[in-house]
């Protein structure tokens, strides 16, 4: 089992920045993808960004150029640096780890961007 704990959410004005972090613990061997998803009220959960164990990055079009995902070398910790935040980025952000094709989710952290 993998446990994920997110931190770093909060309230920020439009144009501001936040940095989310997610620490994985437990049986972490074999985690090959870590990612951030988000879910806004009344909308489906969507992929924001992902990073593979080999360093391959993937971003949603809506966050390209504004968000950066990174992973601490040798640690099962992933970060999401969010710059130039917009009100439409308001959502609960979830960390996900993929291990042997099994998805593990964190509890989510709220990000609210005021206009």
């Amino acid at each position: 089992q993998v446990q994920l704990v997110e931190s770093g959410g909060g309230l920020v004005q439009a144009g501001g920045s936040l940095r989310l972090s997610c620490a994985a613990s437990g049986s972490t061997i074999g985690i090959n993808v870590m990612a951030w998803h988000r879910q806004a009220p009344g909308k489906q959960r969507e992929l924001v960004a992902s990073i593979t164990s080999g360093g391959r990055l993937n971003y949603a079009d809506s966050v390209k150029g504004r968000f950066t995902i990174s992973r601490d070398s040798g640690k099962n910790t992933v970060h999401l640096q969010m710059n130039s935040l917009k009100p439409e980025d308001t959502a609960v952000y979830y960390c996900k780890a993929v291990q042997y094709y099994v998805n593990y989710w964190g509890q989510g952290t709220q990000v609210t961007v005021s206009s």
Side-chain angles (χ1 to χ4, degrees):
Q1 291 285 331
V2 175
Q3 293 81 45
L4 300 172
V5 178
E6 300 117 332
S7 59
L11 173 65
V12 65
Q13 289 187 332
S17 299
L18 282 174
R19 187 174 191 245
L20 305 182
S21 296
C22 172
S25 62
S27 179
T28 59
I29 293 175
I31 293 176
N32 58 354
V33 179
M34 294 191 76
W36 288 96
H37 292 245
R38 67 186 180 188
Q39 187 167 18
K43 295 188 177 181
Q44 289 190 332
R45 191 173 298 189
E46 62 175 359
L47 174 68
V48 175
S50 65
I51 183 168
T52 69
S53 55
R56 181 174 298 179
L57 307 176
N58 183 44
Y59 293 97
D61 288 342
S62 59
V63 307
K64 283 181 181 176
R66 300 189 298 123
F67 291 10
T68 302
I69 190 170
S70 61
R71 189 169 178 175
D72 287 349
S73 177
K75 300 179 182 179
N76 290 301
T77 302
V78 65
H79 307 283
L80 185 68
Q81 178 66 44
M82 305 185 293
N83 299 328
S84 302
L85 283 160
K86 305 175 181 180
E88 51 263 43
D89 294 318
T90 295
V92 177
Y93 284 69
Y94 296 91
C95 178
K96 183 181 79 176
V98 183
Q99 181 190 57
Y100 304 125
Y101 304 105
V102 176
N103 293 335
Y104 295 92
W105 294 92
Q107 80 285 357
T109 184
Q110 177 70 46
V111 171
T112 303
V113 184
S114 63
S115 57

